[in-house]
Amino acid sequence: MIKQLDYKPIYEIFARFREAEAEPKGELDHVNAYTLVVAVALSAQATDKGVNKATAELFKVADTPQKMLDLGEDALIEHIKTIGLYRTKAKNVIKLSQRLVDAFDGDVPSSRAALESLPGVGRKTANVVLNMWWHVPTQAVDTHIFRFGNRSGVAVGKDVVAVERAIEDHIPAEFQQHAHHWMILHGRYVCKARKPLCSTCLIRDLCDFEEKTID
């Protein structure tokens, strides 16, 4: 396991990220808090691009929990059948929509515990919604963040919860709001699982990764 970086390099890493893109955005299309919850829930084991393609027409007809219930599971499946695990996800979207109607008057709650009470919504999904919609500095650790955090030494941990805690403990407060988006985007497009683009990486000199590519 790579040793955790000291404070100064971590500060400089995120200062560079901020200078390059001050307001990073998530890549899942949504029109309100509800469609964000649905989009993130659908994105498990799927690409954002694939989810956006599937939800482009879906969200035109079902952008509230009640409209989704009115649409029904079979029609929902037709919209999302290009996404992996679409049958299970469709069931969960209908169930979470019903719970939002029954328990929250159709509104998306702003607490992690309440969000995690929704079918198909785990800690990562809850953290994404809290961060993107409610502007809470939560850290949604996905495979890109896990890889980048451990490779770079920014947030070292053996599992996603450990990496999440490392981010909260070691990344300066001024960067917490956008930290997970900077890391996701960097992991997705630069610090790739295969053939990372180290030669063009803006934090190459600060990164602890010992197997940097040279091309």
Side-chain angles (χ1 to χ4, degrees):
M1 188 66 69
I2 300 172
K3 183 181 178 181
Q4 186 81 48
L5 283 177
D6 293 331
Y7 178 84
K8 286 184 68 176
I10 290 177
Y11 187 94
E12 179 61 23
I13 284 170
F14 285 90
R16 292 184 190 181
F17 283 156
R18 181 171 61 188
E19 183 177 0
E21 187 172 8
E23 297 286 334
K25 303 295 182 185
E27 296 184 320
L28 284 172
D29 294 337
H30 59 283
V31 297
N32 55 29
Y34 171 70
T35 55
L36 177 59
V37 171
V38 172
V40 179
L42 293 176
S43 70
Q45 299 183 46
T47 65
D48 288 359
K49 183 177 180 180
V51 172
N52 290 341
K53 184 176 180 180
T55 58
E57 295 302 317
L58 172 64
F59 290 158
K60 291 179 181 179
V61 296
D63 60 355
T64 69
Q66 188 58 58
K67 288 180 182 178
M68 189 68 75
L69 294 173
D70 293 341
L71 180 66
E73 186 176 325
D74 290 342
L76 171 57
I77 284 174
E78 287 302 306
H79 281 283
I80 68 170
K81 62 185 180 182
T82 57
I83 300 174
L85 305 175
Y86 66 90
R87 292 189 184 278
T88 298
K89 291 176 180 179
K91 290 182 184 297
N92 283 335
V93 168
I94 295 298
K95 289 179 181 178
L96 74 82
S97 299
Q98 189 67 62
R99 178 159 175 77
L100 285 171
V101 169
D102 293 344
F104 301 101
D105 295 323
D107 295 325
V108 174
S110 58
S111 80
R112 181 186 284 118
L115 285 166
E116 288 189 44
S117 75
L118 303 175
V121 174
R123 186 180 183 87
K124 183 183 124 181
T125 297
N127 281 346
V128 171
V129 174
L130 288 171
N131 183 283
M132 291 182 63
W133 193 259
W134 300 109
H135 307 296
V136 178
T138 50
Q139 308 302 329
V141 178
D142 70 351
T143 183
H144 301 299
I145 290 180
F146 187 82
R147 179 176 63 253
F148 169 74
N150 279 288
R151 272 184 179 173
S152 65
V154 164
V156 173
K158 293 182 178 180
D159 54 47
V160 295
V161 174
V163 170
E164 180 182 328
R165 289 173 178 166
I167 293 170
E168 294 171 346
D169 289 344
H170 298 289
I171 294 175
E174 66 187 274
F175 302 121
Q176 287 283 329
Q177 179 64 48
H178 296 308
H180 95 271
H181 275 133
W182 280 318
M183 289 187 285
I184 285 173
L185 295 172
H186 194 73
R188 181 175 292 163
Y189 297 112
V190 181
C191 193
K192 301 177 182 181
R194 298 181 180 180
K195 297 182 179 179
L197 306 180
C198 299
S199 62
T200 58
C201 176
L202 79 167
I203 63 163
R204 180 179 179 178
D205 59 314
L206 300 170
C207 174
D208 268 3
F209 186 41
E210 295 179 355
E211 300 176 27
K212 295 185 178 75
T213 57
I214 58 175
D215 298 325

